Amino acid sequence: LDSAAKTVKFGPIAVKYNKVQSQINLKYDSWQKELQSSFASILGQHITQIHQRIIHSKTKLEQVSLDSSSNTNDIVLGVTFIQEMKQKLDPWSKEVRKLATSELTLKR
């Protein structure tokens, strides 16, 4: 297709490429905005979910007491919870990095 041609006739039918191209561009732009909006919504939900998980865990960590005045059961539960958080730290870090990268991609 020669992009310099504005109109091409096929017998009695004339196709005006500049009008068709502008309609295609408008539809493409509409789809792109819709896709970006959906992606932003899903991304926002994931960011909110991980934020809530991290805040909840932080609050629980702040409540852990390892003082010698605490009973043994509380100390064991506290140490166990700290170990669980250590195991979750790497996966959460990776997830936060992915979300940050996704947010940067969305801003472009």
Side-chain angles (χ1 to χ4, degrees):
L1 179 66
D2 182 14
S3 62
K6 301 277 187 206
T7 304
V8 174
K9 292 186 179 186
F10 299 97
I13 299 171
V15 176
K16 295 182 180 179
Y17 286 109
N18 54 352
K19 285 187 178 184
V20 172
Q21 186 63 44
S22 73
Q23 288 176 343
I24 289 171
N25 288 342
L26 287 174
K27 191 63 175 177
Y28 175 79
D29 290 344
S30 169
W31 284 344
Q32 184 175 8
K33 286 180 183 179
E34 184 180 325
L35 182 64
Q36 285 176 330
S37 177
S38 295
F39 181 67
S41 176
I42 293 167
L43 181 62
Q45 290 172 359
H46 284 287
I47 289 171
T48 301
Q49 288 171 356
I50 193 165
H51 180 262
Q52 288 173 348
R53 281 185 281 165
I54 291 171
I55 291 298
H56 176 72
S57 297
K58 176 184 173 270
T59 303
K60 283 183 72 174
L61 273 172
E62 289 171 346
Q63 294 171 354
V64 168
S65 176
L66 301 177
D67 293 337
S68 60
S69 61
S70 300
N71 67 35
T72 307
N73 190 37
D74 289 342
I75 293 174
V76 170
L77 289 174
V79 170
T80 303
F81 185 70
I82 291 170
Q83 291 302 320
E84 289 173 8
M85 291 302 103
K86 281 185 177 181
Q87 291 174 352
K88 290 181 179 182
L89 183 61
D90 188 48
W92 280 353
S93 295
K94 289 177 183 176
E95 189 172 354
V96 167
R97 280 194 298 273
K98 284 181 186 178
L99 291 171
T101 302
S102 298
E103 189 175 14
L104 287 175
T105 301
L106 186 62
K107 287 180 181 180
R108 289 184 200 158

